[in-house]
PDB file of all heavy atoms in Angstrom:
ATOM      1  N   THR L   1     187.943 116.730  81.612  1.00 91.00           N
ATOM      2  CA  THR L   1     187.373 117.758  80.740  1.00 91.00           C
ATOM      3  C   THR L   1     186.973 117.171  79.395  1.00 91.00           C
ATOM      4  O   THR L   1     185.873 117.424  78.891  1.00 91.00           O
ATOM      5  CB  THR L   1     188.382 118.904  80.521  1.00 91.00           C
ATOM      6  OG1 THR L   1     188.640 119.554  81.768  1.00 91.00           O
ATOM      7  CG2 THR L   1     187.835 119.927  79.534  1.00 91.00           C
ATOM      8  N   ALA L   2     187.865 116.362  78.809  1.00 89.00           N
ATOM      9  CA  ALA L   2     187.570 115.739  77.516  1.00 89.00           C
ATOM     10  C   ALA L   2     186.340 114.837  77.613  1.00 89.00           C
ATOM     11  O   ALA L   2     185.488 114.829  76.713  1.00 89.00           O
ATOM     12  CB  ALA L   2     188.780 114.934  77.036  1.00 89.00           C
ATOM     13  N   VAL L   3     186.236 114.095  78.696  1.00 89.00           N
ATOM     14  CA  VAL L   3     185.075 113.208  78.904  1.00 89.00           C
ATOM     15  C   VAL L   3     183.790 114.021  79.004  1.00 89.00           C
ATOM     16  O   VAL L   3     182.776 113.691  78.367  1.00 89.00           O
ATOM     17  CB  VAL L   3     185.266 112.346  80.173  1.00 89.00           C
ATOM     18  CG1 VAL L   3     183.973 111.594  80.507  1.00 89.00           C
ATOM     19  CG2 VAL L   3     186.410 111.367  79.991  1.00 89.00           C
ATOM     20  N   PHE L   4     183.811 115.091  79.787  1.00 91.00           N
ATOM     21  CA  PHE L   4     182.622 115.927  79.960  1.00 91.00           C
ATOM     22  C   PHE L   4     182.215 116.588  78.642  1.00 91.00           C
ATOM     23  O   PHE L   4     181.020 116.728  78.352  1.00 91.00           O
ATOM     24  CB  PHE L   4     182.872 117.002  81.022  1.00 91.00           C
ATOM     25  CG  PHE L   4     182.945 116.472  82.423  1.00 91.00           C
ATOM     26  CD1 PHE L   4     183.922 116.920  83.301  1.00 91.00           C
ATOM     27  CD2 PHE L   4     182.047 115.520  82.870  1.00 91.00           C
ATOM     28  CE1 PHE L   4     183.990 116.435  84.594  1.00 91.00           C
ATOM     29  CE2 PHE L   4     182.108 115.024  84.165  1.00 91.00           C
ATOM     30  CZ  PHE L   4     183.088 115.482  85.032  1.00 91.00           C
ATOM     31  N   VAL L   5     183.197 116.993  77.854  1.00 91.00           N
ATOM     32  CA  VAL L   5     182.907 117.626  76.564  1.00 91.00           C
ATOM     33  C   VAL L   5     182.193 116.649  75.635  1.00 91.00           C
ATOM     34  O   VAL L   5     181.180 116.992  75.009  1.00 91.00           O
ATOM     35  CB  VAL L   5     184.206 118.137  75.904  1.00 91.00           C
ATOM     36  CG1 VAL L   5     183.942 118.524  74.442  1.00 91.00           C
ATOM     37  CG2 VAL L   5     184.753 119.339  76.653  1.00 91.00           C
ATOM     38  N   VAL L   6     182.707 115.435  75.557  1.00 88.00           N
ATOM     39  CA  VAL L   6     182.115 114.424  74.668  1.00 88.00           C
ATOM     40  C   VAL L   6     180.698 114.075  75.126  1.00 88.00           C
ATOM     41  O   VAL L   6     179.768 113.991  74.311  1.00 88.00           O
ATOM     42  CB  VAL L   6     182.989 113.156  74.625  1.00 88.00           C
ATOM     43  CG1 VAL L   6     182.274 112.044  73.859  1.00 88.00           C
ATOM     44  CG2 VAL L   6     184.332 113.461  73.978  1.00 88.00           C
ATOM     45  N   ILE L   7     180.520 113.880  76.434  1.00 90.00           N
ATOM     46  CA  ILE L   7     179.194 113.542  76.961  1.00 90.00           C
ATOM     47  C   ILE L   7     178.208 114.674  76.709  1.00 90.00           C
ATOM     48  O   ILE L   7     177.054 114.447  76.306  1.00 90.00           O
ATOM     49  CB  ILE L   7     179.276 113.232  78.472  1.00 90.00           C
ATOM     50  CG1 ILE L   7     180.059 111.937  78.709  1.00 90.00           C
ATOM     51  CG2 ILE L   7     177.874 113.117  79.074  1.00 90.00           C
ATOM     52  CD1 ILE L   7     180.292 111.609  80.159  1.00 90.00           C
ATOM     53  N   THR L   8     178.657 115.913  76.927  1.00 91.00           N
ATOM     54  CA  THR L   8     177.785 117.076  76.711  1.00 91.00           C
ATOM     55  C   THR L   8     177.361 117.178  75.250  1.00 91.00           C
ATOM     56  O   THR L   8     176.185 117.413  74.942  1.00 91.00           O
ATOM     57  CB  THR L   8     178.501 118.374  77.127  1.00 91.00           C
ATOM     58  OG1 THR L   8     178.815 118.313  78.519  1.00 91.00           O
ATOM     59  CG2 THR L   8     177.622 119.589  76.861  1.00 91.00           C
ATOM     60  N   GLY L   9     178.321 117.006  74.347  1.00 90.00           N
ATOM     61  CA  GLY L   9     178.006 117.068  72.924  1.00 90.00           C
ATOM     62  C   GLY L   9     177.024 115.995  72.512  1.00 90.00           C
ATOM     63  O   GLY L   9     176.072 116.241  71.759  1.00 90.00           O
ATOM     64  N   MET L  10     177.247 114.788  73.022  1.00 89.00           N
ATOM     65  CA  MET L  10     176.372 113.677  72.675  1.00 89.00           C
ATOM     66  C   MET L  10     174.960 113.888  73.212  1.00 89.00           C
ATOM     67  O   MET L  10     173.970 113.724  72.494  1.00 89.00           O
ATOM     68  CB  MET L  10     176.946 112.366  73.222  1.00 89.00           C
ATOM     69  CG  MET L  10     176.201 111.123  72.768  1.00 89.00           C
ATOM     70  SD  MET L  10     176.950 109.599  73.390  1.00 89.00           S
ATOM     71  CE  MET L  10     178.548 109.659  72.563  1.00 89.00           C
ATOM     72  N   LEU L  11     174.849 114.283  74.483  1.00 90.00           N
ATOM     73  CA  LEU L  11     173.532 114.521  75.078  1.00 90.00           C
ATOM     74  C   LEU L  11     172.818 115.690  74.404  1.00 90.00           C
ATOM     75  O   LEU L  11     171.603 115.661  74.199  1.00 90.00           O
ATOM     76  CB  LEU L  11     173.671 114.776  76.582  1.00 90.00           C
ATOM     77  CG  LEU L  11     174.071 113.580  77.442  1.00 90.00           C
ATOM     78  CD1 LEU L  11     174.254 114.007  78.895  1.00 90.00           C
ATOM     79  CD2 LEU L  11     173.023 112.477  77.353  1.00 90.00           C
ATOM     80  N   GLY L  12     173.598 116.733  74.058  1.00 89.00           N
ATOM     81  CA  GLY L  12     173.009 117.887  73.387  1.00 89.00           C
ATOM     82  C   GLY L  12     172.447 117.531  72.028  1.00 89.00           C
ATOM     83  O   GLY L  12     171.347 117.973  71.658  1.00 89.00           O
ATOM     84  N   ALA L  13     173.192 116.738  71.276  1.00 89.00           N
ATOM     85  CA  ALA L  13     172.730 116.325  69.946  1.00 89.00           C
ATOM     86  C   ALA L  13     171.548 115.370  70.036  1.00 89.00           C
ATOM     87  O   ALA L  13     170.648 115.383  69.188  1.00 89.00           O
ATOM     88  CB  ALA L  13     173.879 115.665  69.181  1.00 89.00           C
ATOM     89  N   MET L  14     171.542 114.537  71.088  1.00 88.00           N
ATOM     90  CA  MET L  14     170.454 113.566  71.269  1.00 88.00           C
ATOM     91  C   MET L  14     169.152 114.240  71.680  1.00 88.00           C
ATOM     92  O   MET L  14     168.095 113.966  71.115  1.00 88.00           O
ATOM     93  CB  MET L  14     170.842 112.545  72.345  1.00 88.00           C
ATOM     94  CG  MET L  14     171.866 111.530  71.929  1.00 88.00           C
ATOM     95  SD  MET L  14     172.439 110.554  73.353  1.00 88.00           S
ATOM     96  CE  MET L  14     170.898 109.866  73.971  1.00 88.00           C
ATOM     97  N   THR L  15     169.241 115.103  72.680  1.00 90.00           N
ATOM     98  CA  THR L  15     168.022 115.657  73.281  1.00 90.00           C
ATOM     99  C   THR L  15     167.655 117.055  72.796  1.00 90.00           C
ATOM    100  O   THR L  15     166.494 117.456  72.901  1.00 90.00           O
ATOM    101  CB  THR L  15     168.166 115.702  74.824  1.00 90.00           C
ATOM    102  OG1 THR L  15     169.257 116.591  75.163  1.00 90.00           O
ATOM    103  CG2 THR L  15     168.466 114.319  75.380  1.00 90.00           C
ATOM    104  N   GLY L  16     168.651 117.795  72.265  1.00 90.00           N
ATOM    105  CA  GLY L  16     168.402 119.168  71.827  1.00 90.00           C
ATOM    106  C   GLY L  16     167.253 119.310  70.837  1.00 90.00           C
ATOM    107  O   GLY L  16     166.301 120.068  71.093  1.00 90.00           O
ATOM    108  N   PRO L  17     167.302 118.609  69.701  1.00 90.00           N
ATOM    109  CA  PRO L  17     166.211 118.725  68.726  1.00 90.00           C
ATOM    110  C   PRO L  17     164.859 118.308  69.306  1.00 90.00           C
ATOM    111  O   PRO L  17     163.836 118.951  69.032  1.00 90.00           O
ATOM    112  CB  PRO L  17     166.647 117.773  67.605  1.00 90.00           C
ATOM    113  CG  PRO L  17     168.131 117.725  67.722  1.00 90.00           C
ATOM    114  CD  PRO L  17     168.417 117.782  69.187  1.00 90.00           C
ATOM    115  N   TRP L  18     164.861 117.253  70.122  1.00 89.00           N
ATOM    116  CA  TRP L  18     163.616 116.768  70.727  1.00 89.00           C
ATOM    117  C   TRP L  18     163.024 117.824  71.660  1.00 89.00           C
ATOM    118  O   TRP L  18     161.823 118.091  71.618  1.00 89.00           O
ATOM    119  CB  TRP L  18     163.902 115.475  71.491  1.00 89.00           C
ATOM    120  CG  TRP L  18     162.698 114.884  72.150  1.00 89.00           C
ATOM    121  CD1 TRP L  18     161.710 114.126  71.560  1.00 89.00           C
ATOM    122  CD2 TRP L  18     162.318 115.013  73.531  1.00 89.00           C
ATOM    123  NE1 TRP L  18     160.755 113.771  72.486  1.00 89.00           N
ATOM    124  CE2 TRP L  18     161.103 114.300  73.710  1.00 89.00           C
ATOM    125  CE3 TRP L  18     162.889 115.647  74.628  1.00 89.00           C
ATOM    126  CZ2 TRP L  18     160.458 114.214  74.937  1.00 89.00           C
ATOM    127  CZ3 TRP L  18     162.251 115.566  75.858  1.00 89.00           C
ATOM    128  CH2 TRP L  18     161.057 114.859  76.009  1.00 89.00           C
ATOM    129  N   ILE L  19     163.867 118.428  72.501  1.00 91.00           N
ATOM    130  CA  ILE L  19     163.400 119.459  73.433  1.00 91.00           C
ATOM    131  C   ILE L  19     162.868 120.665  72.671  1.00 91.00           C
ATOM    132  O   ILE L  19     161.805 121.209  73.000  1.00 91.00           O
ATOM    133  CB  ILE L  19     164.530 119.888  74.387  1.00 91.00           C
ATOM    134  CG1 ILE L  19     164.888 118.741  75.339  1.00 91.00           C
ATOM    135  CG2 ILE L  19     164.130 121.126  75.188  1.00 91.00           C
ATOM    136  CD1 ILE L  19     166.106 119.009  76.204  1.00 91.00           C
ATOM    137  N   MET L  20     163.595 121.096  71.635  1.00 93.00           N
ATOM    138  CA  MET L  20     163.155 122.260  70.861  1.00 93.00           C
ATOM    139  C   MET L  20     161.848 121.977  70.128  1.00 93.00           C
ATOM    140  O   MET L  20     160.996 122.856  70.005  1.00 93.00           O
ATOM    141  CB  MET L  20     164.257 122.693  69.889  1.00 93.00           C
ATOM    142  CG  MET L  20     165.430 123.376  70.581  1.00 93.00           C
ATOM    143  SD  MET L  20     166.632 124.120  69.448  1.00 93.00           S
ATOM    144  CE  MET L  20     167.508 122.648  68.872  1.00 93.00           C
ATOM    145  N   ASN L  21     161.681 120.750  69.639  1.00 91.00           N
ATOM    146  CA  ASN L  21     160.417 120.386  68.995  1.00 91.00           C
ATOM    147  C   ASN L  21     159.263 120.469  69.989  1.00 91.00           C
ATOM    148  O   ASN L  21     158.175 120.961  69.671  1.00 91.00           O
ATOM    149  CB  ASN L  21     160.505 118.975  68.417  1.00 91.00           C
ATOM    150  CG  ASN L  21     161.408 118.902  67.199  1.00 91.00           C
ATOM    151  OD1 ASN L  21     161.662 119.912  66.548  1.00 91.00           O
ATOM    152  ND2 ASN L  21     161.892 117.717  66.885  1.00 91.00           N
ATOM    153  N   LYS L  22     159.495 119.955  71.200  1.00 91.00           N
ATOM    154  CA  LYS L  22     158.457 119.975  72.231  1.00 91.00           C
ATOM    155  C   LYS L  22     158.110 121.407  72.644  1.00 91.00           C
ATOM    156  O   LYS L  22     156.960 121.694  72.997  1.00 91.00           O
ATOM    157  CB  LYS L  22     158.936 119.192  73.461  1.00 91.00           C
ATOM    158  CG  LYS L  22     159.043 117.692  73.253  1.00 91.00           C
ATOM    159  CD  LYS L  22     157.692 117.063  72.978  1.00 91.00           C
ATOM    160  CE  LYS L  22     157.779 115.558  72.829  1.00 91.00           C
ATOM    161  NZ  LYS L  22     156.445 114.944  72.530  1.00 91.00           N
ATOM    162  N   MET L  23     159.096 122.294  72.591  1.00 92.00           N
ATOM    163  CA  MET L  23     158.875 123.688  72.987  1.00 92.00           C
ATOM    164  C   MET L  23     158.404 124.557  71.828  1.00 92.00           C
ATOM    165  O   MET L  23     158.180 125.756  71.988  1.00 92.00           O
ATOM    166  CB  MET L  23     160.163 124.263  73.576  1.00 92.00           C
ATOM    167  CG  MET L  23     160.611 123.597  74.867  1.00 92.00           C
ATOM    168  SD  MET L  23     162.122 124.318  75.542  1.00 92.00           S
ATOM    169  CE  MET L  23     161.543 125.971  75.979  1.00 92.00           C
ATOM    170  N   GLY L  24     158.272 123.959  70.654  1.00 92.00           N
ATOM    171  CA  GLY L  24     157.787 124.700  69.494  1.00 92.00           C
ATOM    172  C   GLY L  24     158.817 125.624  68.871  1.00 92.00           C
ATOM    173  O   GLY L  24     158.465 126.607  68.216  1.00 92.00           O
ATOM    174  N   ILE L  25     160.102 125.323  69.080  1.00 90.00           N
ATOM    175  CA  ILE L  25     161.178 126.137  68.492  1.00 90.00           C
ATOM    176  C   ILE L  25     161.566 125.527  67.155  1.00 90.00           C
ATOM    177  O   ILE L  25     162.261 124.504  67.097  1.00 90.00           O
ATOM    178  CB  ILE L  25     162.399 126.194  69.437  1.00 90.00           C
ATOM    179  CG1 ILE L  25     162.002 126.774  70.785  1.00 90.00           C
ATOM    180  CG2 ILE L  25     163.523 127.025  68.801  1.00 90.00           C
ATOM    181  CD1 ILE L  25     163.102 126.725  71.820  1.00 90.00           C
ATOM    182  N   HIS L  26     161.114 126.131  66.073  1.00 91.00           N
ATOM    183  CA  HIS L  26     161.371 125.583  64.741  1.00 91.00           C
ATOM    184  C   HIS L  26     162.184 126.530  63.854  1.00 91.00           C
ATOM    185  O   HIS L  26     162.535 126.170  62.728  1.00 91.00           O
ATOM    186  CB  HIS L  26     160.039 125.254  64.052  1.00 91.00           C
ATOM    187  CG  HIS L  26     159.182 124.288  64.829  1.00 91.00           C
ATOM    188  ND1 HIS L  26     159.553 122.976  65.050  1.00 91.00           N
ATOM    189  CD2 HIS L  26     157.989 124.463  65.459  1.00 91.00           C
ATOM    190  CE1 HIS L  26     158.616 122.362  65.766  1.00 91.00           C
ATOM    191  NE2 HIS L  26     157.664 123.237  66.026  1.00 91.00           N
ATOM    192  N   ASN L  27     162.465 127.722  64.348  1.00 91.00           N
ATOM    193  CA  ASN L  27     163.244 128.678  63.569  1.00 91.00           C
ATOM    194  C   ASN L  27     164.658 128.140  63.327  1.00 91.00           C
ATOM    195  O   ASN L  27     165.351 127.789  64.290  1.00 91.00           O
ATOM    196  CB  ASN L  27     163.323 130.011  64.319  1.00 91.00           C
ATOM    197  CG  ASN L  27     164.063 131.066  63.536  1.00 91.00           C
ATOM    198  OD1 ASN L  27     165.290 131.102  63.562  1.00 91.00           O
ATOM    199  ND2 ASN L  27     163.331 131.917  62.837  1.00 91.00           N
ATOM    200  N   PRO L  28     165.101 128.031  62.075  1.00 90.00           N
ATOM    201  CA  PRO L  28     166.421 127.453  61.776  1.00 90.00           C
ATOM    202  C   PRO L  28     167.570 128.184  62.462  1.00 90.00           C
ATOM    203  O   PRO L  28     168.528 127.551  62.913  1.00 90.00           O
ATOM    204  CB  PRO L  28     166.525 127.593  60.249  1.00 90.00           C
ATOM    205  CG  PRO L  28     165.121 127.686  59.779  1.00 90.00           C
ATOM    206  CD  PRO L  28     164.383 128.415  60.861  1.00 90.00           C
ATOM    207  N   LEU L  29     167.460 129.512  62.564  1.00 90.00           N
ATOM    208  CA  LEU L  29     168.506 130.307  63.206  1.00 90.00           C
ATOM    209  C   LEU L  29     168.611 129.949  64.686  1.00 90.00           C
ATOM    210  O   LEU L  29     169.708 129.721  65.214  1.00 90.00           O
ATOM    211  CB  LEU L  29     168.208 131.799  63.040  1.00 90.00           C
ATOM    212  CG  LEU L  29     169.267 132.764  63.572  1.00 90.00           C
ATOM    213  CD1 LEU L  29     170.517 132.716  62.700  1.00 90.00           C
ATOM    214  CD2 LEU L  29     168.722 134.190  63.600  1.00 90.00           C
ATOM    215  N   SER L  30     167.482 129.881  65.352  1.00 90.00           N
ATOM    216  CA  SER L  30     167.460 129.567  66.780  1.00 90.00           C
ATOM    217  C   SER L  30     167.979 128.155  67.050  1.00 90.00           C
ATOM    218  O   SER L  30     168.744 127.928  67.991  1.00 90.00           O
ATOM    219  CB  SER L  30     166.034 129.702  67.329  1.00 90.00           C
ATOM    220  OG  SER L  30     165.548 131.011  67.144  1.00 90.00           O
ATOM    221  N   ARG L  31     167.580 127.214  66.223  1.00 93.00           N
ATOM    222  CA  ARG L  31     167.999 125.822  66.423  1.00 93.00           C
ATOM    223  C   ARG L  31     169.502 125.666  66.183  1.00 93.00           C
ATOM    224  O   ARG L  31     170.197 124.955  66.919  1.00 93.00           O
ATOM    225  CB  ARG L  31     167.207 124.899  65.490  1.00 93.00           C
ATOM    226  CG  ARG L  31     165.728 124.829  65.823  1.00 93.00           C
ATOM    227  CD  ARG L  31     164.968 123.975  64.817  1.00 93.00           C
ATOM    228  NE  ARG L  31     165.257 122.554  64.973  1.00 93.00           N
ATOM    229  CZ  ARG L  31     164.571 121.716  65.750  1.00 93.00           C
ATOM    230  NH1 ARG L  31     163.546 122.168  66.462  1.00 93.00           N
ATOM    231  NH2 ARG L  31     164.888 120.450  65.818  1.00 93.00           N
ATOM    232  N   GLY L  32     170.008 126.361  65.171  1.00 91.00           N
ATOM    233  CA  GLY L  32     171.439 126.296  64.893  1.00 91.00           C
ATOM    234  C   GLY L  32     172.260 126.895  66.024  1.00 91.00           C
ATOM    235  O   GLY L  32     173.279 126.327  66.438  1.00 91.00           O
ATOM    236  N   LEU L  33     171.803 128.028  66.554  1.00 91.00           N
ATOM    237  CA  LEU L  33     172.506 128.676  67.660  1.00 91.00           C
ATOM    238  C   LEU L  33     172.530 127.776  68.896  1.00 91.00           C
ATOM    239  O   LEU L  33     173.568 127.606  69.539  1.00 91.00           O
ATOM    240  CB  LEU L  33     171.822 130.005  68.016  1.00 91.00           C
ATOM    241  CG  LEU L  33     172.075 131.190  67.091  1.00 91.00           C
ATOM    242  CD1 LEU L  33     171.177 132.356  67.482  1.00 91.00           C
ATOM    243  CD2 LEU L  33     173.539 131.615  67.138  1.00 91.00           C
ATOM    244  N   ALA L  34     171.384 127.191  69.221  1.00 91.00           N
ATOM    245  CA  ALA L  34     171.292 126.339  70.407  1.00 91.00           C
ATOM    246  C   ALA L  34     172.207 125.121  70.304  1.00 91.00           C
ATOM    247  O   ALA L  34     172.941 124.789  71.243  1.00 91.00           O
ATOM    248  CB  ALA L  34     169.849 125.895  70.613  1.00 91.00           C
TER     249      ALA L  34
END
């Protein structure tokens, strides 16, 4: 569980902003929630 949590957090932080930029999601509220 600890391993999966760390990997998920790392992948989310790495790819999350990039994916949201590609999808045109720039609203600060939406990005913070995601």
Side-chain angles (χ1 to χ4, degrees):
T1 296
V3 171
F4 289 137
V5 168
V6 172
I7 292 175
T8 299
M10 187 178 296
L11 290 176
M14 286 171 57
T15 63
W18 180 80
I19 292 173
M20 287 189 284
N21 289 339
K22 290 296 182 181
M23 295 181 66
I25 302 174
H26 302 294
N27 183 277
L29 184 70
S30 300
R31 293 176 72 91
L33 283 172

